[in-house]
Amino acid sequence: MKENYCLQAALVCLGMLCHSHAFASERRSHLRPSFHGHHEKGKEGQVLQRSKRGWVWNQFFVIEEYTGPDPVLVGRLHSDIDSGDGNIKYILSGEGAGTIFVIDDKSGNIHATKKLDREERAQYTLMAQAVDRDTNRPLEPPSEFIVKVQDINDNPPEFLHETYHANVPERSNVGTSVIQVTASDADDPTYGNSAKLVYSILEGQPYFSVEAQTGIIRTALPNMDREAKEEYHVVIQAKDMGGHMGGLSGTTKVTITLTDVNDNPPKFPQSVYQMSVSEASVPGEEVGRVKAKDPDIGENGLVTYSIVDGDGMELFEITTDYETQEGVIKLKKPVDFETKRAYSLKVEAANMHIDQKFISNGPFKDTVTVKIAVEDADEPPMFLAPSYIHEVQENAAAGTVVGRVHAKDPDAANSQIRYSIDRHTDLDRFFTINPEDGFIKTTKPLDREETAWLNITVFAAEIHNRHQEAKVPVAIRVLDVNDNAPKFAAPYEGFICESDQTKPLSNQPIVTISADDKDDTANGPRFIFSLPPEIIHNPNFTVRDNRDNTAGVYARRGGFSRQKQDLYLLPIVISDGGIPPMSSTNTLTIKVCGCDVNGALLSCNAEAYILNAGLSTGALIAILACIVILLVIVVLFVTLRRQKKEPLIVFEEEDVRENIITYDDEGGGEEDTEAFDIATLQNPDGINGFIPRKDIKPEYQYMPRPGLRPAPSSVDVDDFINTRIQEADNDPTAPPYDSIQIYGYEGRGSVAGSLSSLESATTDSDLDYDYLQNWGPRFKKLADLYGSKDTFDDDS
């Protein structure tokens, strides 16, 4: 603290010394003559006027950050006309006048009352003037002067950023520029060395260095390896005063990261990998993984794998898992333990991106040997063929051998095989299989015409492991046997016109027929049509085979008559071309019809010849209609006779009465002060006697039991209802209604009288309605209707 005060005092003294020297020199060089207005008589009576003396002053300086006990003397203003008698008053104005700078109005001494900071303001412009103390009359024009704040080293250097981040590739040469850091000093760079900065490195040697004047950080060691150390922390210092002792300093931290270059080849951690695969594995299944380590990162560490040699190149493949950077070996084709039990592969790992700067480091790839052992697995049986096709003739006897399927165990144990048929594919159980040798036989005769092909599935399983099972499709074709005789292809019917004996025969066939055979084409066409041997010389008709599986039926004569015979049945024999051939006799119906002169059919019915032997169709229909009408009349008559007389009590099954007691009491209005008057429910006509029922006709008179009839003035509703229930329960004339009685009494006239006005105009009344005339226009109609008689006369 004492050293600071001493330093400040020395700086103040130095400033005052410089100020005094400059003031004296300025005083000597800026003196101007001036006249104060004194008049002197010169020679020859001339009045001589002396010029006024000008301001004597200098450009003032004040040292910043001065913290002494007394105000700092900045300088002194003095006018030549000031004789020291106190008649002149000095006035100061301008920037900071009166607040920062004050002036002694008698002596002209200027003092700084506050601590000044050059970094906030470097100079102040002030205005001085000398005036008469008594009259404030300006004695001289105002003059401007400047007070400069003289700099001291009170600001340390500051960097633009607290921390810096920079990257530099690994293996960079010495002197490679990394980053430039820059600091600034708020002190005056034109005065002394307060703002002259020098950079130096405090932390980060011997890896990095910094240029003292520019702040550029450079690498200082060759071949820095990212894989050994990736990040460095460097501290840079900036010091003012040219780096000399006593200067102020500031620091910043620089984090330097070495970026990766591809300077490391991939390397397998071992020379041989041992793997195994089951012979039951399917293609695409993973066998194992290999991984070559590459310490580089990013694209420099990407590795691709390939199989370059080995006896398993055709059975295995390798792909690259780019997330884990592993080589995935997969099965390409199935392997067989019984065929080959081990395979060897040579796998290569290579970088995808190679930096030519480091190609001299060696080949950026590595190889490894992968040995894969095939494991034996309990495999299911294997059929010798993927599918089987067998044939069997239809109608073959049960037990006929259809064919055989054969499977074997591919394992070395060669387990015995058992065969079975999937009954879901043979629901009718047409076949059976020998479980030991696989021979398939029929269980019943087959019909090709029903099913020409039968598809079944045969299972083969190991005896000791039923879960190891294989299946094979077996298609069985049913061979055709000529077991179906041909028949007419359709229900044919022929028509022939009746004609005279002298009319020539037509060459057109009566009908052309064809046949159909359910057998295969080998046992079907060609069809042969003929008449049976016994009627081969039929005098009426003949059959001509067209040799195209059709035949025509012709008439041998004319003169057919419907009166003699209107229908002919012609048997026709049809034979197929099977071995041995089969034939059937089919009957063709030929009708004799009436035709016009052109041979067109008119009618094939014989009713024209039997009209006088019976009734016509219209007569029969009329008779049937009469019978139906008579039956309807009889049914209606019987129904009416059976209707019963309507009973006295209607609605026996459905009683429309609700179980609610109905009261026709309208209440007493606003003047009714009682909650309920039970006397309203009393029928005055039935108080002293029996109340007759209206729903039935009683057989004898019923007298109510004494003591059960309540008093008319009773107001207890509960007692009243209970009394009525007891009367109903004990009444032998009442039907078995399990409900409360319904009172049909509607009551007598109201004491308030009728409110209706329907008959008021036609009856004589003593009431006076003249007051209605005073009720306004709304009641004019009522006043006209119910007014006095004079009013009516006037209206009329």
Side-chain angles (χ1 to χ4, degrees):
M1 182 68 70
K2 291 181 178 180
E3 293 177 356
N4 291 336
Y5 283 131
C6 293
L7 177 61
Q8 293 178 358
L11 292 175
V12 170
C13 293
L14 179 61
M16 293 297 293
L17 181 60
C18 296
H19 164 68
S20 300
H21 182 269
F23 179 79
S25 57
E26 288 293 330
R27 183 184 179 90
R28 288 191 298 270
S29 60
H30 290 86
L31 288 177
R32 297 184 296 185
S34 64
F35 298 95
H36 290 278
H38 299 284
H39 301 281
E40 295 182 356
K41 293 183 178 180
K43 296 180 179 181
E44 300 178 353
Q46 293 181 353
V47 178
L48 300 177
Q49 190 174 27
R50 188 177 60 179
S51 63
K52 180 176 63 176
R53 177 80 61 182
W55 284 98
V56 180
W57 62 337
N58 200 349
Q59 179 171 279
F60 299 138
F61 294 88
V62 61
I63 299 176
E64 68 170 336
E65 303 293 344
Y66 176 72
T67 58
D70 298 325
V72 179
L73 178 62
V74 177
R76 182 181 181 186
L77 298 178
H78 186 70
S79 175
D80 291 344
I81 63 175
D82 187 4
S83 60
D85 55 3
N87 293 327
I88 295 179
K89 179 181 178 181
Y90 295 96
I91 298 174
L92 186 66
S93 62
E95 299 174 345
T99 56
I100 300 176
F101 302 102
V102 295
I103 189 171
D104 188 343
D105 59 355
K106 293 182 178 181
S107 63
N109 291 334
I110 300 174
H111 290 83
T113 61
K114 294 183 179 180
K115 181 174 63 174
L116 302 179
D117 188 358
R118 190 203 66 84
E119 287 69 40
E120 291 183 1
R121 188 161 189 157
Q123 67 181 19
Y124 297 86
T125 301
L126 299 172
M127 193 77 69
Q129 190 175 21
V131 299
D132 186 87
R133 182 177 296 276
D134 295 331
T135 64
N136 287 329
R137 181 177 58 86
L139 301 177
E140 294 182 0
S143 299
E144 185 180 86
F145 66 96
I146 296 175
V147 177
K148 288 189 175 182
V149 182
Q150 191 172 1
D151 183 54
I152 65 172
N153 189 18
D154 60 339
N155 290 281
E158 293 183 358
F159 285 92
L160 298 180
H161 304 285
E162 263 186 50
T163 58
Y164 290 84
H165 295 274
N167 298 322
V168 63
E170 63 174 334
R171 307 285 183 182
S172 296
N173 297 327
V174 176
T176 302
S177 176
V178 179
I179 191 176
Q180 182 178 12
V181 295
T182 304
S184 61
D185 196 319
D187 292 325
D188 190 359
T190 63
Y191 180 77
N193 294 327
S194 297
K196 186 178 181 180
L197 305 181
V198 175
Y199 298 94
S200 61
I201 184 168
L202 300 182
E203 295 181 16
Q205 301 96 338
Y207 306 104
F208 300 95
S209 62
V210 64
E211 292 183 358
Q213 304 301 326
T214 62
I216 297 176
I217 302 174
R218 300 182 183 274
T219 57
L221 285 182
N223 297 324
M224 284 192 292
D225 191 4
R226 185 201 65 82
E227 288 72 35
K229 186 176 182 180
E230 183 177 6
E231 194 173 81
Y232 295 85
H233 298 282
V234 179
V235 178
I236 302 297
Q237 174 185 266
K239 190 173 184 181
D240 59 13
M241 299 300 291
H244 296 295
M245 185 178 296
L248 303 178
S249 63
T251 60
T252 185
K253 294 181 180 180
V254 183
T255 301
I256 301 175
T257 303
L258 297 182
T259 58
D260 185 64
V261 297
N262 192 10
D263 58 340
N264 295 282
K267 188 71 176 177
F268 284 104
Q270 58 196 66
S271 59
V272 178
Y273 283 87
Q274 298 287 345
M275 299 179 183
S276 61
V277 61
S278 173
E279 63 174 343
S281 299
V282 296
E285 189 171 337
E286 182 178 327
V287 178
R289 295 189 174 213
V290 296
K291 184 176 183 180
K293 294 183 178 180
D294 190 334
D296 296 323
I297 60 175
E299 66 176 14
N300 297 320
L302 295 179
V303 179
T304 182
Y305 299 87
S306 60
I307 299 175
V308 296
D309 197 6
D311 56 359
M313 294 182 65
E314 300 296 328
L315 298 175
F316 301 92
E317 61 182 357
I318 189 169
T319 58
T320 303
D321 187 345
Y322 291 103
E323 292 185 0
T324 61
Q325 288 298 300
E326 294 177 319
V328 182
I329 299 175
K330 296 181 180 180
L331 187 63
K332 189 176 180 181
K333 295 180 180 180
V335 293
D336 187 9
F337 175 80
E338 289 73 26
T339 303
K340 189 175 178 63
R341 301 188 178 186
Y343 295 91
S344 178
L345 301 174
K346 188 176 183 180
V347 177
E348 180 184 83
N351 277 137
M352 298 178 62
H353 304 279
I354 298 176
D355 194 341
Q356 298 298 327
K357 296 179 181 178
F358 305 98
I359 196 68
S360 60
N361 290 3
F364 284 81
K365 58 185 177 180
D366 193 17
T367 58
V368 70
T369 300
V370 179
K371 294 184 177 181
I372 303 175
V374 180
E375 297 178 347
D376 187 21
D378 190 4
E379 299 176 83
M382 182 181 296
F383 284 95
L384 300 184
S387 62
Y388 292 89
I389 299 178
H390 298 305
E391 296 179 345
V392 63
Q393 287 188 342
E394 65 174 331
N395 301 327
T400 301
V401 176
V402 176
R404 183 189 183 190
V405 295
H406 185 64
K408 67 176 182 177
D409 184 8
D411 299 322
N414 195 17
S415 300
Q416 188 175 353
I417 306 299
R418 292 187 64 86
Y419 302 94
S420 62
I421 295 177
D422 183 3
R423 290 305 173 186
H424 293 90
T425 61
D426 186 22
L427 297 176
D428 295 327
R429 297 183 178 270
F430 288 121
F431 306 99
T432 183
I433 190 170
N434 190 318
E436 296 179 356
D437 55 18
F439 279 99
I440 301 173
K441 298 181 180 180
T442 61
T443 60
K444 61 182 73 173
L446 304 176
D447 188 0
R448 190 205 67 86
E449 286 70 40
E450 291 184 1
T451 306
W453 286 90
L454 294 170
N455 298 297
I456 63 173
T457 300
V458 176
F459 290 111
E462 297 179 8
I463 293 180
H464 303 294
N465 188 1
R466 301 289 296 180
H467 296 289
Q468 293 296 341
E469 187 177 65
K471 61 181 180 179
V472 67
V474 179
I476 300 172
R477 179 184 181 185
V478 182
L479 300 178
D480 184 52
V481 174
N482 193 15
D483 57 345
N484 291 280
K487 296 180 180 180
F488 276 155
Y492 294 106
E493 188 174 17
F495 302 93
I496 187 171
C497 295
E498 60 179 348
S499 60
D500 299 332
Q501 293 287 345
T502 59
K503 190 175 182 179
L505 293 176
S506 174
N507 292 327
Q508 296 295 327
I510 298 173
V511 63
T512 301
I513 59 176
S514 63
D516 189 14
D517 195 333
K518 294 182 180 180
D519 292 324
D520 198 1
T521 55
N523 295 316
R526 179 180 81 84
F527 299 118
I528 300 174
F529 301 87
S530 63
L531 294 176
E534 60 272 14
I535 62 169
I536 193 170
H537 299 293
N538 188 299
N540 299 318
F541 305 98
T542 185
V543 175
R544 297 177 188 176
D545 195 335
N546 298 325
R547 298 183 178 276
D548 59 354
N549 296 323
T550 64
V553 179
Y554 297 85
R556 283 187 169 184
R557 66 177 180 87
F560 290 95
S561 175
R562 283 185 288 176
Q563 292 182 349
K564 294 181 179 179
Q565 186 174 352
D566 61 346
L567 186 67
Y568 294 88
L569 300 177
L570 180 65
I572 299 176
V573 178
I574 307 175
S575 300
D576 59 20
I579 302 175
M582 293 194 70
S583 61
S584 65
T585 301
N586 300 267
T587 301
L588 176 64
T589 301
I590 301 175
K591 292 183 178 181
V592 180
C593 301
C595 301
D596 58 10
V597 295
N598 296 322
L601 295 179
L602 294 178
S603 174
C604 294
N605 297 325
E607 61 182 35
Y609 301 98
I610 56 176
L611 284 177
N612 49 8
L615 297 175
S616 65
T617 304
L620 292 175
I621 294 175
I623 294 173
L624 291 176
C626 294
I627 295 174
V628 170
I629 293 173
L630 291 175
L631 289 175
V632 171
I633 294 173
V634 171
V635 170
L636 291 176
F637 179 75
V638 172
T639 304
L640 293 175
R641 287 290 301 271
R642 289 185 178 180
Q643 287 184 349
K644 292 183 178 181
K645 201 170 186 179
E646 185 176 353
L648 292 176
I649 302 177
V650 294
F651 309 116
E652 294 180 353
E653 296 180 358
E654 180 180 2
D655 189 4
V656 298
R657 296 180 299 174
E658 297 291 342
N659 296 335
I660 300 175
I661 300 176
T662 303
Y663 302 101
D664 293 331
D665 180 24
E666 297 182 356
E670 296 180 357
E671 298 179 358
D672 189 359
T673 57
E674 296 183 5
F676 183 75
D677 186 4
I678 196 65
T680 307
L681 300 178
Q682 304 291 339
N683 187 353
D685 298 332
I687 293 178
N688 298 322
F690 172 72
I691 302 175
R693 296 185 61 90
K694 299 180 179 180
D695 52 355
I696 63 172
K697 183 178 181 180
E699 296 179 359
Y700 58 91
Q701 186 69 21
Y702 165 70
M703 295 300 293
R705 296 175 57 187
L708 294 179
R709 184 171 60 252
S713 61
S714 176
V715 294
D716 192 345
V717 178
D718 189 29
D719 293 342
F720 176 78
I721 297 300
N722 291 332
T723 301
R724 286 293 179 263
I725 292 175
Q726 291 179 9
E727 290 180 1
D729 291 340
N730 297 323
D731 187 357
T733 62
Y737 291 123
D738 190 7
S739 63
I740 300 176
Q741 294 294 315
I742 296 176
Y743 300 94
Y745 173 62
E746 299 182 356
R748 294 180 176 177
S750 173
V751 295
S754 176
L755 298 178
S756 174
S757 61
L758 297 177
E759 299 179 357
S760 300
T762 59
T763 58
D764 294 332
S765 175
D766 297 334
L767 296 178
D768 184 9
Y769 295 100
D770 291 339
Y771 61 88
L772 294 176
Q773 299 291 340
N774 301 325
W775 282 17
R778 293 186 178 182
F779 297 91
K780 185 177 183 303
K781 189 67 175 177
L782 292 176
D784 295 341
L785 293 175
Y786 299 101
S788 63
K789 188 174 181 181
D790 297 338
T791 304
F792 285 108
D793 295 339
D794 295 340
D795 294 338
S796 61

